[in-house]
Amino acid sequence: MAYDQRPHPSMATHVKQSLRQASQALGVRDPLPFMGSMIDRTFARPDDDMAYADNQLAPGAVPFEPSFSEAEPDVLRFTIEPSGPGASPVARRDEATREMRRLISPLFGRDALRWFDSRSEEWRGMSGLGWMHYGAWFGSAFDEDGLYAAKVYYELAPTQIDALAPSLARLTRMVMTEMPGLMPIFTSIGCKRDTASQRVTFMHRGPLALAALGPLMNRLGIGHQLPSLMRVVGVALGGRFELPNGGVLVGLRDTPDGVEMKLEILLASLPDLPNRFLDLLRLGLAERPRQVAALERWLSAFGVDDAGEQGHFSVLSVRVSPSSQARISLYVRPIEFEMRDTLEESREYS
């Protein structure tokens, strides 16, 4: 019996098919006319190439991470680690920067491009050539009119804090003084059609009890939102209010409304994520039926509608601001892009 010698299709074929199907299900513009060339370059290798699993965005899976946002429920959002396996951090940083400039100049205008260039100057030059681990990630979002937002996530060294916008630099230093366990690890610089913003994200070193965020949130003017945040997290995690070492990111940005805080829980770090995680998350949104319906539609669009597949949920994000109670975002790894089982099989036969 002859073995099948046909070459495997590239991973780009699967990523593009997933995005095309999701855009149709969500009623948004097809992202491929905007992102197709970058996807082709990033996922050019065959779909069975184990090198995809070695990445910093979604370790053990293909570096393609769709996400649902309660604040933007009808938007198709996804993040990738650009340039493919084996690319240098500098190559990823440069690719993400080029794509950002290519997209926002004709679609969002020259003012948006000038703003991005001024904010990203520190991360586009020769700095960071030796210390970077992955370089950059690239995020994009699409609605019924086309490209809604684009964003670059740049690695951030403590020595680069002064290169942030002055108000964000002051905020970053204040946070590090108030909670020394928080260490800045990346900055995200994003543009939408009519707005732009920059966020700094910190990794928390050591376990974190959610209540310990209270003093920092008070300093930021959002302490009154701590009960809302704890309620959403507590329900979704089955009563867990303490998060393990390496399992928490905290993002902060200035907005016209004041400081917005984004708590990100890396679900793979939890030893006891409830089997009914998705049902519990729905329960936490029960008072907002429109958001529940949007979440269901989004999960179905990406084929992630099995509550028993909780291992494929990567991040639960909860945002609060002075005038907004907790709103969730959910990041997933669709089952067809998981490579852990294939990695285990390859080890067994090696």
Side-chain angles (χ1 to χ4, degrees), residues 215-226:
L216 173 63
M217 293 179 68
N218 286 334
R219 286 285 306 273
L220 298 174
I222 51 176
H224 58 291
Q225 304 292 15
L226 179 60

Side-chain angles (χ1 to χ4, degrees), residues 100-222:
M100 184 73 172
R101 302 187 80 252
R102 180 184 70 84
L103 287 169
I104 65 176
S105 180
L107 296 173
F108 297 163
R110 292 185 177 181
D111 287 344
L113 179 61
R114 280 194 290 269
W115 180 89
F116 172 75
D117 283 346
S118 68
R119 290 272 47 87
S120 64
E121 182 176 3
E122 171 70 18
W123 291 273
R124 292 185 287 113
M126 299 298 291
S127 64
L129 298 185
W131 60 266
M132 291 191 296
H133 298 293
Y134 59 87
W137 301 323
F138 187 82
S140 57
F142 298 84
D143 62 14
E144 60 186 6
D145 296 319
L147 184 70
Y148 171 76
K151 181 184 299 184
V152 181
Y153 301 79
Y154 291 111
E155 284 189 83
L156 174 64
T159 55
Q160 294 176 308
I161 291 175
D162 286 339
L164 299 169
S167 61
L168 188 57
R170 289 192 296 271
L171 176 62
T172 300
R173 294 192 192 92
M174 184 273 284
V175 168
M176 296 171 68
T177 300
E178 184 70 36
M179 288 190 71
L182 291 175
M183 176 179 68
I185 57 171
F186 63 80
T187 182
S188 53
I189 304 175
C191 294
K192 297 181 179 179
R193 293 191 185 104
D194 54 2
T195 62
S197 66
Q198 183 174 12
R199 177 184 286 116
V200 170
T201 297
F202 305 78
M203 169 72 78
H204 186 270
R205 295 169 289 189
L208 175 68
L210 291 179
L213 291 170
L216 173 63
M217 293 179 68
N218 286 334
R219 286 285 306 273
L220 298 174
I222 51 176

Side-chain angles (χ1 to χ4, degrees), residues 283-319:
L283 180 63
L285 296 175
E287 296 180 356
R288 301 193 288 278
R290 290 183 60 187
Q291 280 77 1
V292 174
L295 175 62
E296 300 292 352
R297 186 168 61 252
W298 186 89
L299 291 169
S300 178
F302 281 101
V304 188
D305 50 9
D306 184 351
E309 295 288 350
Q310 74 273 14
H312 304 301
F313 301 111
S314 52
V315 179
L316 173 64
S317 169
V318 185
R319 305 183 193 202

Side-chain angles (χ1 to χ4, degrees), residues 270-292:
L270 301 180
D272 54 358
L273 185 68
N275 289 332
R276 297 179 57 247
F277 166 72
L278 192 50
D279 291 332
L280 293 171
L281 191 62
R282 293 182 180 111
L283 180 63
L285 296 175
E287 296 180 356
R288 301 193 288 278
R290 290 183 60 187
Q291 280 77 1
V292 174

Side-chain angles (χ1 to χ4, degrees), residues 3 52 61-62 133 207 210 240 245 291 310 316 348:
Y3 290 105
Y52 283 119
V62 176
H133 298 293
L210 291 179
R240 170 182 279 275
N245 179 39
Q291 280 77 1
Q310 74 273 14
L316 173 64
E348 290 176 6

Side-chain angles (χ1 to χ4, degrees), residues 28 64 71:
V28 304
F64 164 63

